[in-house]
Short mmCIF file of all heavy atoms in Angstrom, two decimals:
data_model
loop_
_atom_site.label_atom_id
_atom_site.label_comp_id
_atom_site.label_asym_id
_atom_site.label_seq_id
_atom_site.Cartn_x
_atom_site.Cartn_y
_atom_site.Cartn_z
N VAL B 1298 -21.71 19.92 24.63
CA VAL B 1298 -22.71 20.06 25.56
C VAL B 1298 -22.47 21.22 26.52
O VAL B 1298 -21.49 21.41 27.12
CB VAL B 1298 -22.82 18.79 26.47
CG1 VAL B 1298 -23.89 18.91 27.64
CG2 VAL B 1298 -23.01 17.49 25.55
N ARG B 1299 -23.46 22.19 26.48
CA ARG B 1299 -23.34 23.51 27.17
C ARG B 1299 -24.21 23.34 28.43
O ARG B 1299 -25.33 22.76 28.35
CB ARG B 1299 -23.83 24.61 26.47
CG ARG B 1299 -23.07 24.77 25.00
CD ARG B 1299 -23.76 25.76 24.14
NE ARG B 1299 -23.11 25.88 22.82
CZ ARG B 1299 -23.58 26.49 21.75
NH1 ARG B 1299 -24.76 27.24 21.89
NH2 ARG B 1299 -23.04 26.48 20.57
N ARG B 1300 -23.72 23.94 29.50
CA ARG B 1300 -24.40 23.87 30.75
C ARG B 1300 -25.27 25.14 30.98
O ARG B 1300 -25.01 26.23 30.35
CB ARG B 1300 -23.46 23.77 31.87
CG ARG B 1300 -22.33 22.63 31.70
CD ARG B 1300 -23.03 21.13 31.60
NE ARG B 1300 -21.97 20.29 31.27
CZ ARG B 1300 -22.34 18.99 30.80
NH1 ARG B 1300 -23.52 18.74 30.69
NH2 ARG B 1300 -21.28 18.10 30.62
N GLY B 1301 -26.13 25.08 31.89
CA GLY B 1301 -26.91 26.29 32.22
C GLY B 1301 -28.25 26.41 31.59
O GLY B 1301 -28.65 25.53 30.94
N ALA B 1302 -28.90 27.56 31.81
CA ALA B 1302 -30.35 27.80 31.30
C ALA B 1302 -30.38 27.60 29.80
O ALA B 1302 -31.37 27.14 29.44
CB ALA B 1302 -30.86 29.13 31.74
N ARG B 1303 -29.42 27.99 29.15
CA ARG B 1303 -29.40 27.91 27.66
C ARG B 1303 -28.54 26.76 27.17
O ARG B 1303 -28.04 26.80 26.03
CB ARG B 1303 -28.99 29.27 27.00
CG ARG B 1303 -29.96 30.35 27.30
CD ARG B 1303 -29.64 31.65 26.50
NE ARG B 1303 -30.61 32.77 26.80
CZ ARG B 1303 -30.45 33.91 26.10
NH1 ARG B 1303 -29.54 34.18 25.27
NH2 ARG B 1303 -31.38 34.78 26.52
N GLY B 1304 -28.39 25.84 28.02
CA GLY B 1304 -27.58 24.69 27.81
C GLY B 1304 -28.12 23.69 26.76
O GLY B 1304 -29.13 23.94 26.08
N GLY B 1305 -27.55 22.44 26.75
CA GLY B 1305 -28.00 21.46 25.87
C GLY B 1305 -26.82 21.09 24.90
O GLY B 1305 -25.83 21.54 24.89
N ALA B 1306 -27.09 20.09 24.11
CA ALA B 1306 -26.17 19.52 23.16
C ALA B 1306 -26.39 20.24 21.81
O ALA B 1306 -27.42 20.39 21.28
CB ALA B 1306 -26.21 18.04 22.97
N HIS B 1307 -25.27 20.73 21.26
CA HIS B 1307 -25.18 21.43 20.00
C HIS B 1307 -24.22 20.75 19.03
O HIS B 1307 -23.20 20.21 19.43
CB HIS B 1307 -24.82 22.88 20.22
CG HIS B 1307 -25.82 23.69 20.87
ND1 HIS B 1307 -26.14 23.64 22.26
CD2 HIS B 1307 -26.81 24.67 20.45
CE1 HIS B 1307 -26.94 24.41 22.58
NE2 HIS B 1307 -27.50 25.02 21.55
N VAL B 1308 -24.49 20.86 17.77
CA VAL B 1308 -23.67 20.06 16.76
C VAL B 1308 -22.40 20.94 16.48
O VAL B 1308 -22.60 22.08 16.12
CB VAL B 1308 -24.56 19.99 15.61
CG1 VAL B 1308 -23.83 19.28 14.42
CG2 VAL B 1308 -25.89 18.91 15.87
N LEU B 1309 -21.37 20.15 16.32
CA LEU B 1309 -20.10 20.67 15.76
C LEU B 1309 -19.81 19.96 14.47
O LEU B 1309 -20.13 18.66 14.29
CB LEU B 1309 -18.86 20.44 16.66
CG LEU B 1309 -19.06 21.12 18.03
CD1 LEU B 1309 -17.91 20.73 18.91
CD2 LEU B 1309 -19.09 22.73 18.03
N VAL B 1310 -19.20 20.52 13.51
CA VAL B 1310 -18.97 20.05 12.19
C VAL B 1310 -17.65 19.26 12.40
O VAL B 1310 -16.62 19.83 12.89
CB VAL B 1310 -18.77 21.01 11.01
CG1 VAL B 1310 -18.19 20.38 9.90
CG2 VAL B 1310 -20.10 21.63 10.69
N PRO B 1311 -17.47 18.00 11.96
CA PRO B 1311 -16.15 17.28 12.11
C PRO B 1311 -15.17 17.96 11.25
O PRO B 1311 -15.40 18.41 10.12
CB PRO B 1311 -16.52 15.82 11.58
CG PRO B 1311 -18.05 15.76 11.57
CD PRO B 1311 -18.69 17.16 11.45
N ASP B 1312 -14.02 18.12 11.85
CA ASP B 1312 -12.88 18.71 11.08
C ASP B 1312 -11.60 17.97 11.29
O ASP B 1312 -11.50 17.21 12.26
CB ASP B 1312 -12.76 20.13 11.36
CG ASP B 1312 -12.39 20.55 12.84
OD1 ASP B 1312 -11.87 19.56 13.43
OD2 ASP B 1312 -12.63 21.60 13.35
N THR B 1313 -10.60 18.32 10.48
CA THR B 1313 -9.26 17.50 10.48
C THR B 1313 -8.46 18.04 11.66
O THR B 1313 -7.54 17.36 12.02
CB THR B 1313 -8.50 17.68 9.26
OG1 THR B 1313 -8.53 19.09 8.89
CG2 THR B 1313 -9.24 16.98 8.07
N ALA B 1314 -8.74 19.15 12.21
CA ALA B 1314 -8.00 19.67 13.41
C ALA B 1314 -8.11 18.73 14.48
O ALA B 1314 -7.09 18.28 15.21
CB ALA B 1314 -8.57 20.91 13.84
N ALA B 1315 -9.27 18.06 14.77
CA ALA B 1315 -9.40 17.02 15.84
C ALA B 1315 -8.68 15.80 15.53
O ALA B 1315 -7.99 15.30 16.34
CB ALA B 1315 -10.87 16.76 16.08
N VAL B 1316 -8.64 15.43 14.21
CA VAL B 1316 -8.01 14.17 13.83
C VAL B 1316 -6.57 14.42 13.98
O VAL B 1316 -5.74 13.58 14.44
CB VAL B 1316 -8.34 13.92 12.32
CG1 VAL B 1316 -7.54 12.59 11.90
CG2 VAL B 1316 -9.92 13.69 12.24
N GLY B 1317 -6.07 15.65 13.54
CA GLY B 1317 -4.63 15.96 13.63
C GLY B 1317 -4.19 15.92 15.08
O GLY B 1317 -3.05 15.42 15.33
N ARG B 1318 -4.95 16.42 15.99
CA ARG B 1318 -4.52 16.41 17.36
C ARG B 1318 -4.39 15.03 17.88
O ARG B 1318 -3.39 14.64 18.58
CB ARG B 1318 -5.44 17.13 18.27
CG ARG B 1318 -5.38 18.74 18.12
CD ARG B 1318 -6.25 19.42 19.15
NE ARG B 1318 -7.56 19.25 19.02
CZ ARG B 1318 -8.46 19.93 18.34
NH1 ARG B 1318 -7.84 21.01 17.61
NH2 ARG B 1318 -9.72 19.71 18.26
N TYR B 1319 -5.35 14.15 17.66
CA TYR B 1319 -5.20 12.71 18.01
C TYR B 1319 -4.10 12.11 17.37
O TYR B 1319 -3.23 11.25 17.96
CB TYR B 1319 -6.48 12.07 17.62
CG TYR B 1319 -6.58 10.58 18.14
CD1 TYR B 1319 -6.79 10.27 19.40
CD2 TYR B 1319 -6.20 9.59 17.27
CE1 TYR B 1319 -6.72 8.86 19.73
CE2 TYR B 1319 -6.17 8.28 17.49
CZ TYR B 1319 -6.48 7.92 18.83
OH TYR B 1319 -6.39 6.67 19.28
N ALA B 1320 -3.98 12.21 16.03
CA ALA B 1320 -2.79 11.70 15.32
C ALA B 1320 -1.47 12.02 15.93
O ALA B 1320 -0.51 11.35 15.94
CB ALA B 1320 -2.92 11.96 13.76
N GLY B 1321 -1.37 13.41 16.13
CA GLY B 1321 -0.15 14.03 16.71
C GLY B 1321 0.22 13.32 18.10
O GLY B 1321 1.36 12.93 18.24
N THR B 1322 -0.80 13.09 18.87
CA THR B 1322 -0.60 12.50 20.28
C THR B 1322 -0.17 10.97 20.04
O THR B 1322 0.78 10.58 20.62
CB THR B 1322 -1.91 12.41 21.01
OG1 THR B 1322 -2.29 13.87 21.29
CG2 THR B 1322 -1.66 11.75 22.43
#
Side-chain angles (χ1 to χ4, degrees):
V1298 178
R1299 303 171 188 168
R1300 312 300 174 190
R1303 297 187 178 182
H1307 292 74
V1308 175
L1309 301 174
V1310 170
D1312 63 25
T1313 52
V1316 179
R1318 285 191 292 272
Y1319 179 82
T1322 301

